[in-house]
Amino acid sequence: MVEGRLNLEPEVQEIFQSIDNGRNFLLSGGAGSGKTYSLVNVIRQAIAENPTAKVACMTYTNAAVKEIEERVNHKNLNVSTIHDFLWDSIKHFQKELKEALISLANNEEVARISIEEVNPVPENYYDDLPDGVQYKEFVRIRDGIISHDELLIVANYLFEKYPKLSSIVKDKYKFIFIDEYQDTSKAVVETFLTHFKKSERKNIIGFFGDAMQSIYEDGIGNLDDYKGDDAEEVKEIPKKQNRRNPKHIIDLANQLRTDGITQEPSADPKAPNMAGGVIKQGTVLFLHSTDGDINKIEAFLETNYAWDFSNSKETKELNLTHNLIAGKAGFRTLMDIYDKDHILSFRDRIRKYIKDNNVTTDFLENTFGEVIEVLQQGKNGRELNAVRPTNTMQVFIDGNAELYNYAKSLKYSEFSKMYVDKDQLLDDKKQDNDDENKKGSKRDNLIKHLFKIQNNISLYQNKKYNQFLRATDYHFKITSIASKRALKDNIESLVNVGDNTIEKVINDADEKRICLIDDKLIAFKEHKEYLYNRVKDVKFSEFQKLYEYLEGQTPFSTQHKTKGAEFDNVLVILDNGGWNNYNFGNLFLETGSASVLDRTQKIFYVCCTRAKENLAVFFHNPDVDVIAKAKVWFGENNVIDIG
């Protein structure tokens, strides 16, 4: 046994056996298994055994980067986000970067990279680019500026086309470790496990994570296509211990896992879920009622189990849908714009009618209003009702006559394509307050821009001036007292927004160079004019309420946002909220679409395993079969009808 390995946990010893054999590996560990602890020990031992070798460690959030840097402080270790690692690997190859951007912009299948006003893009388009291709917080393809999403596409293109690039990275880093691999883009995994093979140089790629916690659709999810027993495949090493959850929660979670890992309580007497050398039991409750009153559920838990919902650090209420939270948290107007616009519902009704009835009329130059007139002309009775608003739609239209008239004036060919969904307002992959990059978020480019404004202000307020200058591209030289005062005045005018609208704040932030209007926002205003015009008149102070909620500054949280966190007491509200991606009833009955079942199972697993002491699950008005399954999972005495 190599010196130092005897003191390592068994899974880490197995990792080094894989490394000795020159094999890439995957450490699969469930919730609370101590994957980061194992990662840190692997890094330390790799450096100890290879004192001249460089180690790269990539993780998902900036907060995780800081944590690993603090736990392993060594000059040969480079810890970064995946995006920063990729940019550092390709940024010096400017000739190839320019060629890649032009090739991708001319590829119609790559929708994210284009220059609308130049088609096709000529080979010499970037020849006079003064600063070369740049990676920033905003995107301007015409100026050679790419952001997070574009970077992944460009890097994958370059590693596929130039095997020498893989050789350069392999020569630099003997070890590359990727944390939370399940959330990593498929393009990134393809780079490291497919394109790297084109280079004959040798290095080790190690993955750490949990397939059961892959709750984001744009992540790889698992490495099933790459792992196996052959020397060229990734060796999977399971880590079965659970250091976080009490026994009853571990038992429940094991019934939800589908990857063959059965978790066991840690044997370490110092583990958080141990007390006096004995595993904590904890409580698991399945609560149900017919009226769906969440306040009644909270009161029951406070009275009978001493939960304290006023302490948001110890007790969290997790909702799948934001609709349950919007009113309490103060962003109801924005929520209704994205989720309850029945003019858009009527538009969808018209669009469906045209498709279902094979209407062949060319509406290319018609307005939405003209399309309605054509379809309604000469019809009566049931035929007419099919192209008129439903009662719910009509009530909304009557209350928003001016908005409806405006919608009718829009060109139907554009208006019919405009997609609006609450995910575009609320989707949030961010796991920590310090992680300003929204990797893979479904938020639309208007909401992303508003977040940039608020984040840039926060950077300045928190005295993170270097990050502020990079994020804002601020051109004033902050050298004189006068220039500092001017910047301070600009920032404070945005902090104290009063009743200013969202549009006014966007324009002020652009004029004051706090947050520049970029390609994405310009395109949004052009292609989603209706939505932009609805949002622009909302007070920016309401957006700030949304910001506070998504930054975790309220007692509420969505089930997605809680990933990676842990609390003493967790109340999970099982409500699909009309969201077709999930179905909690089918989860208990194990029926329905396989993809929906898999998605629901994983989000439920993540929620349950957040609880360090007590878990309560609330299901509104379940049927008898759901209650029967709940008694199997939770125990008969733990299934309680609140009435």
Side-chain angles (χ1 to χ4, degrees), residues 203-258:
N203 81 337
I204 296 292
I205 313 290
F207 299 88
F208 297 76
D210 182 12
M212 277 302 294
Q213 296 186 63
S214 63
I215 58 174
Y216 304 120
E217 289 182 33
D218 55 352
I220 185 81
N222 60 64
L223 295 184
D224 290 354
D225 291 341
Y226 297 96
K227 67 187 185 185
D229 296 327
D230 293 343
E232 288 297 306
E233 294 178 310
V234 176
K235 178 178 175 58
E236 182 173 23
I237 299 162
K239 188 175 189 186
K240 296 181 179 180
Q241 73 165 350
N242 184 317
R243 300 172 54 84
R244 175 195 300 152
N245 303 126
K247 184 178 186 305
H248 289 317
I249 293 173
I250 293 175
D251 291 344
L252 172 63
N254 279 337
Q255 296 182 83
L256 299 171
R257 292 197 72 94
T258 57

Side-chain angles (χ1 to χ4, degrees), residues 133-168:
V133 176
Q134 300 175 73
Y135 166 54
K136 297 199 175 188
E137 301 294 323
F138 57 92
V139 60
R140 282 182 180 162
I141 302 297
R142 65 180 180 274
D143 296 329
I145 297 173
I146 59 174
S147 188
H148 310 301
D149 296 334
E150 299 77 29
L151 172 62
L152 299 182
I153 298 168
V154 171
N156 191 45
Y157 175 93
L158 290 174
F159 276 100
E160 181 177 22
K161 185 169 183 179
Y162 300 105
K164 187 177 180 182
L165 186 55
S166 295
S167 295
I168 291 168

